[in-house]
Amino acid sequence: RYARFMAAFTHISTEIDSIYKQLTRDPDHPIGGTAYLSLENDEEPFLHGIKYTAMPPTKRFRNMEELSGGEKTVAALALLFAIHSFRPSPFFVLDEVDAALDNVNVARVAAYIHAKSRENAGQRNAGHSFQSVVISLKDTFFDKADGLIGVYRDHDQGCSRVLTKRLTTHD
Amino acid sequence: RYARFMAAFTHISTEIDSIYKQLTRDPDHPIGGTAYLSLENDEEPFLHGIKYTAMPPTKRFRNMEELSGGEKTVAALALLFAIHSFRPSPFFVLDEVDAALDNVNVARVAAYIHAKSRENAGQRNAGHSFQSVVISLKDTFFDKADGLIGVYRDHDQGCSRVLTKRLTTHD
Amino acid sequence: GSIHRLEVDNFKSYKGHQVIGPFLNFTAIIGPNGAGKSNLMDAISFVLGVRSSHLRGSQLRDLVYAYDDKEREVRRKAHVKLVYLQGDGTELSFTRGITLQSASEYRIDDKVVSWDEYNNKMRSLGILVKARNFLVFQGDVESVSTKSPKELTALFEHIS
Amino acid sequence: GSIHRLEVDNFKSYKGHQVIGPFLNFTAIIGPNGAGKSNLMDAISFVLGVRSSHLRGSQLRDLVYAYDDKEREVRRKAHVKLVYLQGDGTELSFTRGITLQSASEYRIDDKVVSWDEYNNKMRSLGILVKARNFLVFQGDVESVSTKSPKELTALFEHIS
Ligand SMILES: Nc1ncnc2c1ncn2[C@@H]1O[C@H](COP(=O)(O)OP(=O)(O)OP(=O)(O)O)[C@@H](O)[C@H]1O
Ligand SMILES: Nc1ncnc2c1ncn2[C@@H]1O[C@H](COP(=O)(O)OP(=O)(O)OP(=O)(O)O)[C@@H](O)[C@H]1O
Ligand SMILES: [Mg+2]
Ligand SMILES: [Mg+2]
C-alpha cells in the first residue's frame, strides 16, 4: 500500500511542474510558472495530506486560496492532467472548464488538449494522450476540435436534439 | 415587522416576473419565461421560507435545481434586480456574472444593465436605475459600457495598475 | 480505445431513441444555454455508473425524460448505451438502464451483468469511476485546485 | 448618487497610492486573469465594511500589499477611499484603513468616526452592507437562484 501510494505520488509530482509550465508559458515568460506537491508526513503519507502549490509566472505567493479565478482553473487542469499521466483513462469529459479563462488562457488550454488528443494507440496506454470530449461556449476553444456535436432544443417536442459536424483539422 | 416584510414580499413578487420576462424574451418567444415567489406560510412568513421559481420559455419544470448553469444565472440576476427595485442601492458591482452565459444571454443581460444605468437622479431613488460596475472577460458585454477600467500587471513592480478609457456611448 | 458513439433512450431531456456521435479524438459539444449539453455529460457519467445525485437528480426517476412536471408520474423506461471502440477495432458496448421499477440494470454487449462485472470490465480499460479524475462537471474545475490535503490523499489512494 | 472614484493605498495587489476612476453610469473592469480585477471589487467591498473573510483574506493583514510571502511580515498601512458623488454634485468620501496594529479605522470626509456612524451614513444613502444584495462576488451568481427558502427569508428581512 505504501509502495503503491508513493509510486503515484512520485510520478505525479515530477509531471505536474512540466505540465503547469506548458500551460503558463508565453513570450514574456518563456519558462512559465512553478507547481509542486508536498507530503505533510513522509512516514505515513496516506494518513496525512498532500499539499498542492502552483505559482503563476511573476507571482511569489504559496497560498492557493489567493489565486484568481482563472489562475485556479489553470492550476486545477494541470493537476488533472498530471494525475491522468499516472493512471491514464481513455478519455476526458470537461464541462465548461474555460468559463473563468481569458482568451490567452483559453487558447493555451485548447492547444494543449488538441495536442494531447492525437490518435496514437501506444500513446494512449502510456498516458501521453487521451480522447477529449469538451463542452464549451467559446469559439476560441471549440474551433480547435476535430468535430462538433451541436445540441439544440426542439421546442415542439420539448426535448433536446443533436447535429454533428466534422471540422477539417488544422495541425 | 409583519407589515414591513409583506411590503417587501408583495413589491418584489410583482416585479420579478416582468424583469424575468425582459431577460428571457426573444423573437421566437415574444413573451419570455415565468418567474414567481411563494410563501411557505402566509400567517408568519418571516418564520418560514420563501420559494423562488423561474421557468425559461418552453420549459415546464418547477424545480430550480434542474435548470442549466446559464438558466440559473439569468434567474439569479432577475431576482437581484427585483430585490433592488424594492430597496434601491445607488450602485451594483457584478464580478464575471456572465461566465456561464451564451452570447444571446450575454447580449440580453448587457442591454438590460445598459438601459438601467442611464443617469437620472429621480429614477435612481425610485429604484428604476442604478450605477453599474461590471467585471467581464467578454467583449460582447463590456463594449456596451460607458467607460472601461483596464487592469494590467506591472511585472517589474509586482503589482496591479489601471488605465481608464471612455467609450462613446451608443444609445 | 475510445468512445465511438452514445445511444440514449428517454434520458433527461433526450426524448425517445437518439444516436449521438461519432466521437472523434477531440469532440466539442456546443449549443445555447439550456439546450442539453450537460445532460449529455450526465449520460456518459450515468452509463459509467456514477450515482444519480451527481447528475442533478435526487433519484433515478428524475433522469427519465418527462415533458413537464405532470409527466414525471408516467412510468417510462430509459437507458444509455456507450459504444466503445477498442484498440483492435472491435466494438464493445456498455448499457445502463432504468427499469419500470426505477432500478438500475447493467449490460455488456446487450447481456445483463452484475454491477461488479460491469465495473471490473471498465477498470480493465482504465476507466476508474470511483476516482472520477477524468470527469469535470460544470462549475467544479476551480475547486480541484483548492482541494484540502486530505481530499488529495484520498484521490491518490483511489488511483494507486 | 454614485461612486466617482477610488483611492487605494497598498490594498491587495495595488502597491502604493493609486487613483482609480472616474466611474461612469456603466463602467466595465477588464483585463487578463490574475491582473487584479476582483481585487478592485474587494477594495469597494472593503471600504463599505464587508468582513475580510469575504475578500479572500483570512485576516486584515492579508489585505495589505506584499511583494511576496516574506514581505507579508513587513508592517505596512493600507487604506481605501471611496469618493461618492451626491445628487447635488457635492463629494462625500468614505475611507477605511488598516492601521499598523492591523485594526480597522473608519473616516468620513477624512474625519475619524465609529463604525456605527460610518454604517448609518451609508444606510442613509441606501447602501445596506448587511444585505449585500448589490454585490455579486466571482463565482457566486448561480447560487443566488438556488438559495434555500430560509435564506431568502433572511435576505428579505435584511432589506425590509
Ligand atoms: N428528466 C428530464 N426530462 C426532460 N427535460 C429535462 C429532464 N431533466 C432536465 N431536463 C431539462 O434539461 C435542461 C438543462 O439542460 P442542460 O443542463 O444540459 O443545459 P446546458 O446545455 O448544459 O446549458 P448551459 O449552457 O446553461 O450549461 C433543463 O432546462 C431541464 O428542463
Ligand atoms: N496582499 C496582496 N499583495 C499582493 N498581491 C496580492 C495580494 N493579495 C492578492 N494578491 C494577488 O492578486 C492576484 C489575484 O488577483 P484577482 O483575483 O483580482 O485577479 P482577477 O483579475 O480577478 O483575475 P481573474 O480574471 O482570473 O478572475 C493573485 O494572483 C495574488 O497574487
Ligand atoms: Mg451546462
Ligand atoms: Mg477575478
Side-chain angles (χ1 to χ4, degrees):
Chain A
R1 185 178 175 198
Y2 174 85
R4 278 210 322 267
F5 186 89
M6 290 310 289
F9 178 78
T10 336
H11 177 97
I12 293 168
S13 51
T14 47
E15 284 288 330
I16 186 84
D17 191 57
S18 84
I19 293 174
Y20 188 66
K21 283 185 167 35
Q22 285 180 56
L23 291 177
T24 52
R25 60 169 161 248
D26 62 19
D28 295 338
H29 310 99
I31 301 172
T34 308
Y36 57 88
L37 297 168
S38 45
L39 290 171
E40 289 186 341
N41 177 318
D42 289 341
E43 313 302 318
E44 298 176 305
F46 36 81
L47 297 177
H48 298 269
I50 298 174
K51 196 162 153 35
Y52 176 39
T53 305
M55 295 155 74
T58 83
K59 300 276 171 86
R60 276 163 278 273
F61 292 106
R62 293 181 200 293
N63 178 359
M64 294 284 279
E65 284 298 338
E66 294 205 339
L67 291 180
S68 79
E71 291 172 333
K72 278 184 187 160
T73 293
V74 173
L77 291 172
L79 181 62
L80 285 168
F81 295 139
I83 291 173
H84 175 272
S85 73
F86 172 74
R87 180 57 91 203
S89 67
F91 55 84
F92 256 96
V93 186
L94 305 172
D95 193 347
E96 296 194 28
V97 294
D98 57 346
L101 298 180
D102 62 21
N103 290 339
V104 166
N105 279 320
V106 169
R108 282 205 283 244
V109 168
Y112 181 90
I113 290 177
H114 178 74
K116 283 290 178 193
S117 316
R118 295 303 94 214
E119 177 61 47
N120 174 336
Q123 297 265 342
R124 282 272 159 92
N125 299 337
H128 300 308
S129 83
F130 45 78
Q131 178 185 31
S132 305
V133 178
V134 163
I135 299 173
S136 173
L137 300 172
K138 301 183 180 182
D139 51 11
T140 46
F141 200 132
F142 60 74
D143 62 8
K144 306 269 185 309
D146 302 327
L148 299 178
I149 292 178
V151 181
Y152 66 96
R153 179 142 177 99
D154 177 338
H155 292 302
D156 299 333
Q157 294 284 330
C159 72
S160 299
R161 295 223 184 273
V162 298
L163 295 167
T164 40
K165 179 174 163 46
R166 254 171 214 273
L167 297 180
T168 45
T169 44
H170 28 265
D171 266 305
Chain B
R1 186 178 174 201
Y2 175 84
R4 278 207 322 268
F5 186 90
M6 288 310 286
F9 178 78
T10 334
H11 177 97
I12 294 168
S13 51
T14 47
E15 285 287 326
I16 186 82
D17 191 60
S18 84
I19 293 174
Y20 188 66
K21 282 184 168 33
Q22 285 179 57
L23 292 177
T24 53
R25 60 169 156 246
D26 63 23
D28 296 336
H29 310 96
I31 300 173
T34 307
Y36 58 87
L37 296 168
S38 46
L39 291 170
E40 288 188 340
N41 175 314
D42 287 347
E43 264 79 65
E44 296 175 310
F46 36 81
L47 296 178
H48 298 270
I50 298 173
K51 199 167 150 32
Y52 177 39
T53 306
M55 296 155 76
T58 83
K59 301 273 170 87
R60 278 165 278 272
F61 292 105
R62 295 186 197 294
N63 177 0
M64 296 284 277
E65 284 298 338
E66 290 200 345
L67 292 181
S68 78
E71 291 171 333
K72 278 184 187 159
T73 293
V74 173
L77 292 172
L79 180 62
L80 286 168
F81 295 138
I83 290 173
H84 174 272
S85 74
F86 172 73
R87 177 61 87 209
S89 69
F91 55 84
F92 256 98
V93 186
L94 305 172
D95 193 349
E96 297 195 27
V97 294
D98 57 346
L101 298 180
D102 62 20
N103 289 339
V104 166
N105 278 319
V106 168
R108 280 205 286 243
V109 168
Y112 181 89
I113 289 176
H114 177 73
K116 284 288 175 192
S117 315
R118 294 304 93 217
E119 177 59 53
N120 176 336
Q123 297 267 344
R124 283 271 159 95
N125 299 338
H128 300 307
S129 82
F130 46 79
Q131 178 186 31
S132 305
V133 178
V134 164
I135 298 173
S136 174
L137 300 172
K138 301 184 181 182
D139 50 12
T140 47
F141 201 135
F142 60 73
D143 62 8
K144 306 269 184 309
D146 302 326
L148 298 177
I149 292 179
V151 182
Y152 66 95
R153 179 144 178 100
D154 178 337
H155 293 302
D156 299 334
Q157 295 284 327
C159 72
S160 297
R161 297 225 182 272
V162 296
L163 294 167
T164 41
K165 179 177 164 44
R166 258 174 211 271
L167 298 179
T168 46
T169 46
H170 28 265
D171 263 305
Chain C
S2 61
I3 303 174
H4 180 260
R5 66 182 184 279
L6 281 182
E7 295 183 15
V8 286
D9 221 279
N10 285 332
F11 183 80
K12 290 195 112 182
S13 57
Y14 291 84
K15 185 178 176 182
H17 185 76
Q18 302 196 36
V19 179
I20 294 155
F23 287 83
L24 306 175
N25 289 330
F26 180 4
T27 300
I29 300 174
I30 65 173
N33 288 146
K37 302 183 296 296
S38 296
N39 289 343
L40 263 190
M41 176 171 183
D42 290 344
I44 294 173
S45 309
F46 170 77
V47 75
L48 298 179
V50 173
R51 274 207 328 280
S52 68
S53 56
H54 281 286
L55 311 178
R56 295 175 294 166
S58 47
Q59 41 179 359
L60 281 179
R61 193 95 313 280
D62 297 343
L63 302 179
V64 178
Y65 172 81
Y67 180 75
D68 56 23
D69 281 324
K70 270 203 302 299
E71 265 209 20
R72 284 215 186 266
E73 306 318 321
V74 169
R75 293 231 159 274
R76 270 202 182 95
K77 287 196 316 193
H79 78 251
V80 177
K81 177 189 278 192
L82 185 148
V83 179
Y84 188 78
L85 199 60
Q86 305 199 76
D88 62 4
T90 58
E91 284 190 359
L92 177 67
S93 76
F94 291 95
T95 308
R96 182 179 176 189
I98 302 175
T99 65
L100 286 177
Q101 293 71 33
S102 291
S104 275
E105 186 186 77
Y106 299 93
R107 292 169 188 260
I108 295 180
D109 288 337
D110 295 329
K111 210 178 91 254
V112 179
V113 294
S114 70
W115 160 249
D116 283 336
E117 199 179 329
Y118 193 83
N119 189 30
N120 287 341
K121 184 69 182 158
M122 285 197 295
R123 283 179 73 92
S124 73
L125 299 172
I127 302 171
L128 304 177
V129 180
K130 223 172 156 49
R132 281 205 306 280
N133 54 310
F134 56 94
L135 299 173
V136 183
F137 292 97
Q138 190 166 358
D140 285 357
V141 66
E142 271 182 47
S143 61
V144 168
S145 67
T146 51
K147 268 189 196 295
S148 76
K150 280 250 175 301
E151 286 172 330
L152 265 188
T153 304
L155 180 59
F156 275 58
E157 283 261 57
H158 277 316
I159 61 162
S160 60
Chain D
S2 61
I3 302 173
H4 181 259
R5 65 181 183 280
L6 281 183
E7 294 182 16
V8 287
D9 219 283
N10 284 332
F11 183 80
K12 290 195 111 180
S13 56
Y14 291 85
K15 185 178 175 181
H17 185 75
Q18 303 195 36
V19 179
I20 294 156
F23 286 82
L24 305 176
N25 289 332
F26 180 3
T27 300
I29 299 173
I30 64 174
N33 287 146
K37 300 183 297 295
S38 296
N39 289 344
L40 264 191
M41 176 171 185
D42 290 345
I44 294 173
S45 308
F46 170 76
V47 76
L48 297 180
V50 172
R51 271 205 328 282
S52 67
S53 56
H54 280 286
L55 311 178
R56 295 176 292 166
S58 47
Q59 40 180 2
L60 281 179
R61 265 296 6 95
D62 297 343
L63 302 178
V64 178
Y65 173 79
Y67 181 74
D68 55 25
D69 281 326
K70 270 202 303 299
E71 264 208 21
R72 285 222 184 260
E73 306 316 323
V74 168
R75 293 232 160 269
R76 271 202 182 94
K77 288 186 348 189
H79 77 251
V80 177
K81 176 187 278 192
L82 185 149
V83 179
Y84 188 77
L85 199 59
Q86 306 200 75
D88 61 3
T90 58
E91 284 191 357
L92 176 67
S93 75
F94 292 95
T95 309
R96 182 179 176 189
I98 301 174
T99 66
L100 286 177
Q101 291 73 33
S102 291
S104 275
E105 186 187 79
Y106 300 92
R107 291 168 189 263
I108 294 179
D109 288 337
D110 295 327
K111 208 177 96 260
V112 179
V113 294
S114 70
W115 160 249
D116 283 333
E117 198 177 333
Y118 192 83
N119 189 29
N120 287 339
K121 183 70 182 158
M122 285 196 295
R123 282 179 75 90
S124 74
L125 299 172
I127 302 171
L128 303 179
V129 179
K130 221 169 155 45
R132 281 204 307 280
N133 54 309
F134 56 95
L135 298 173
V136 183
F137 293 96
Q138 190 166 357
D140 286 356
V141 66
E142 271 183 47
S143 61
V144 167
S145 67
T146 50
K147 269 190 197 294
S148 75
K150 282 252 175 300
E151 286 172 325
L152 265 188
T153 303
L155 180 58
F156 275 59
E157 285 262 58
H158 277 316
I159 60 163
S160 60

